[in-house]
């Protein structure tokens, strides 16, 4: 076992790297476990135009590399491996990568969330090239184009309504013959003349070499296939927070997100903080993730300072 660190950070998206930047500047010498698939969801994004400070846009991987370089400048130690298990039941907290054990007085969890996908080869190939999981992020790129959106819940309908600001039409593709969205969201969608519906339908394939040309739909009742002419496809069938490591360690909500104290990044375990999409199922933006990473680092630094003061004075 190595020495006890002040702070370990698990996860390397905007929240984890921002936390590392702030923690490094506070002389906490953070160790960040960035994982094999380092960088978070922005590594799958081509152009990012809504992150402040880049008026001409920036490639997702390039933005994350800048985050990483800045965190490294202030002394962050990077471990390019996946964490296998954690133990928050005793202090100092334990984090393991294979047989290597790390101990720390505080931990920030920033493992993010993963968008659920359809599982098609063409979907993976065209992700970032006409296929997207975030209308707020990418809708602007599809001005004056016909679009498809997969899903039937509140998030899908909210994003469909958002996309009508840009698209010539938005076709909602849903496996069933009715939406799961709330009544008010359904009413708004049905009243919007730009929104059409393909009921009892699922996406069988996405056609195009370097961009979406059209999608092939399969009728979930008859099995028949048809072609839908759209130039972009948004997959909005939910997200899964990356919290398997923390089951039984931290309080999770019904959907698996880490529960944090409102207005804070504090978790159910004192000295463990959570930032970014792993605890945010509302905004899910790079800028909000970065902001909560800043919060987590500041809260961790203050918590450590308070613990040191208490140890010295007993107060």
């Amino acid at each position: 076992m190595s020495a006890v660190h002040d702070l370990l950070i698990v996860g390397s998206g905007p929240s984890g790297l921002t936390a590392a930047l702030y923690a490094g500047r506070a002389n906490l010498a953070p160790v960040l476990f960035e994982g094999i698939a380092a960088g978070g969801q922005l590594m799958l994004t081509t152009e990012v135009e809504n992150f402040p400070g880049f008026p001409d846009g920036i490639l997702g991987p390039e933005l994350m590399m800048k985050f990483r370089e800045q965190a490294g400048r202030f002394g962050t130690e990077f471990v390019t491996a996946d964490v296998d298990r954690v133990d928050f039941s005793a202090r100092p907290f334990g984090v393991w990568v294979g047989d290597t054990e790390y101990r720390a007085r505080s931990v920030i969890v920033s493992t993010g969330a993963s968008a659920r996908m359809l599982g098609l080869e063409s979907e993976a190939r065209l992700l970032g090239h006409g296929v997207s999981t975030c209308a707020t992020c990418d809708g602007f790129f599809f001005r004056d184009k016909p679009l498809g959106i997969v899903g039937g819940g509140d998030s899908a309908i909210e994003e469909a309504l958002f996309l009508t600001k840009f698209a010539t039409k938005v076709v909602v593709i849903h496996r069933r013959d009715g939406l799961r969205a709330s009544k008010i969201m359904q009413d708004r969608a049905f009243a919007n003349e730009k929104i059409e519906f393909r009921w009892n339908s699922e996406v069988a394939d996405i056609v195009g070499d370097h961009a979406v040309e059209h999608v092939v739909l399969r009728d979930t009742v008859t099995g028949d296939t048809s072609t839908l002419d759209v130039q972009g496809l948004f997959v909005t069938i939910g997200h899964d927070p990356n919290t398997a490591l923390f089951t039984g360690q931290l309080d999770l909500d019904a959907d698996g997100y880490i529960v944090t104290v409102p207005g804070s990044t504090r978790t159910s375990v004192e000295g463990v903080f959570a930032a970014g999409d792993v605890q945010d199922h509302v905004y899910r933006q790079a800028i909000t993730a970065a902001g909560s990473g800043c919060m987590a680092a500041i809260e961790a630094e203050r918590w450590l300072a308070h613990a040191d003061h208490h140890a010295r004075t007993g107060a």
Side-chain angles (χ1 to χ4, degrees):
M1 186 179 73
S2 61
V4 176
H5 300 274
D6 279 330
L7 175 65
L8 301 179
I9 301 171
V10 185
S12 61
S15 57
L17 289 168
T18 301
L21 164 62
Y22 274 79
R25 284 174 52 83
N27 291 325
L28 296 182
V31 177
L32 185 145
F33 301 90
E34 58 183 349
I36 299 301
Q41 294 186 76
L42 282 186
M43 298 300 287
L44 305 175
T45 304
T46 47
E47 194 80 11
V48 178
E49 288 200 330
N50 58 1
F51 200 89
F54 298 93
D56 297 322
I58 185 172
L59 296 176
E62 183 183 357
L63 178 60
M64 295 319 302
M65 185 56 65
K66 289 181 179 292
F67 270 59
R68 191 182 190 276
E69 289 174 0
Q70 195 168 3
R73 177 186 164 201
F74 293 104
T76 299
E77 176 186 340
F78 295 96
V79 178
T80 309
D82 293 323
V83 171
D84 297 306
R85 66 185 178 96
V86 300
D87 182 7
F88 297 154
S89 65
R91 301 173 190 278
F93 303 122
V95 172
W96 284 263
V97 173
D99 294 328
T100 304
E101 177 182 351
Y102 295 81
R103 291 281 173 178
R105 301 168 62 206
S106 65
V107 175
I108 293 174
V109 176
S110 54
T111 47
S114 301
R116 295 175 191 158
M117 305 299 288
L118 302 173
L120 303 171
E121 179 279 329
S122 52
E123 173 191 43
R125 177 168 47 82
L126 290 168
L127 188 63
H129 299 276
V131 175
S132 173
T133 59
C134 181
T136 310
C137 312
D138 298 331
F140 182 82
F141 298 119
F142 295 90
R143 190 176 294 278
D144 299 325
K145 293 182 179 180
L147 302 176
I149 188 164
V150 183
D154 274 349
S155 293
I157 300 309
E158 185 176 351
E159 298 225 320
L161 289 163
F162 176 80
L163 288 171
T164 60
K165 297 178 181 180
F166 310 102
T168 55
K169 69 175 180 178
V170 178
V171 182
V172 176
I173 303 161
H174 191 42
R175 293 175 54 87
R176 303 175 182 85
D177 59 1
L179 299 173
R180 291 177 288 109
S182 59
K183 179 71 162 53
I184 189 169
M185 296 300 292
Q186 292 193 41
D187 289 346
R188 289 174 184 170
F190 293 142
N192 194 305
E193 61 184 16
K194 279 192 173 184
I195 296 180
E196 303 175 9
F197 296 87
R198 292 292 186 274
W199 304 112
N200 297 317
S201 298
E202 61 184 7
V203 176
D205 196 14
I206 307 167
V207 178
D209 291 328
H210 305 291
V212 174
E213 297 173 5
H214 64 267
V215 299
V216 178
L217 301 183
R218 180 186 299 112
D219 190 298
T220 58
V221 177
T222 66
D224 295 339
T225 59
S226 61
T227 297
L228 177 65
D229 289 324
V230 292
Q231 294 179 5
L233 185 69
F234 289 79
V235 181
T236 53
I237 54 177
H239 289 74
D240 293 312
N242 301 321
T243 52
L245 271 176
F246 311 106
T247 302
Q249 300 282 338
L250 300 171
D251 285 353
L252 309 178
D253 69 13
D255 296 315
Y257 289 85
I258 294 175
V259 176
T260 51
V261 175
S264 165
T265 63
R266 300 196 307 275
T267 70
S268 56
V269 174
E270 189 176 342
V272 178
F273 306 86
D277 290 10
V278 76
Q279 54 86 50
D280 169 26
H281 49 80
V282 177
Y283 301 105
R284 291 194 293 260
Q285 300 296 303
I287 189 66
T288 51
S292 67
C294 162
M295 292 168 59
I298 290 173
E299 288 188 293
E301 191 273 332
R302 289 176 178 171
W303 184 84
L304 288 165
H306 177 77
D308 288 341
H309 177 76
H310 180 76
R312 287 195 308 270
T313 66

